[in-house]
Amino acid sequence: MNPPGRVLVRAGDGGILPGELANRDPAVFPDPDRLDLARAARHHQAFGGGPHHCVGRPLARLGLQVVLPALFRRIPALRPAEELDRIPFNYDALIDGLHALPVTW
């Protein structure tokens, strides 16, 4: 019998953990519940690795390396139209993200 609030996980047992539990260790990620686009985060679990990596990883990388720089070259004054702390964040989906990102230039 396990003590309350504890579960025994044996070698070879499978499990599914919600993605929102990753990257929340304050010893690794200062203020982990605050959106900080300038955070120098390393060792994060955003796309996994090995045989279980996210198939969207190459597309996301391409967007970051090609699409965003091109967008900012074409519209250099592009910026959020709201203060970042007023932009609603979507916590009710399988993958967290913004409901919308209003911009201006």
Side-chain angles (χ1 to χ4, degrees):
M1 188 87 178
N2 295 322
R6 295 183 180 240
V7 175
L8 176 63
V9 179
R10 292 184 170 84
D13 284 354
I16 298 174
L17 297 174
E20 60 268 13
L21 296 179
N23 306 324
R24 291 291 206 265
D25 183 352
V28 179
F29 305 101
D31 199 6
D33 293 326
R34 183 175 61 84
L35 175 62
D36 181 357
L37 299 179
R39 185 188 318 262
R42 298 182 57 90
H43 310 293
H44 59 80
Q45 301 298 314
F47 293 111
H52 304 289
H53 74 275
C54 174
V55 296
R57 178 174 30 191
L59 182 59
R61 184 175 291 131
L62 183 64
L64 292 172
Q65 294 175 342
V66 176
V67 175
L68 289 179
L71 177 66
F72 291 123
R73 273 195 311 275
R74 289 181 180 217
I75 311 173
L78 187 67
R79 64 187 186 283
E82 294 279 340
E83 293 296 323
L84 292 179
D85 60 352
R86 295 181 49 93
I87 296 174
F89 203 77
N90 180 15
Y91 291 106
D92 59 356
L94 179 61
I95 298 175
D96 295 342
L98 300 175
H99 284 286
L101 178 58
V103 297
T104 188
W105 59 89

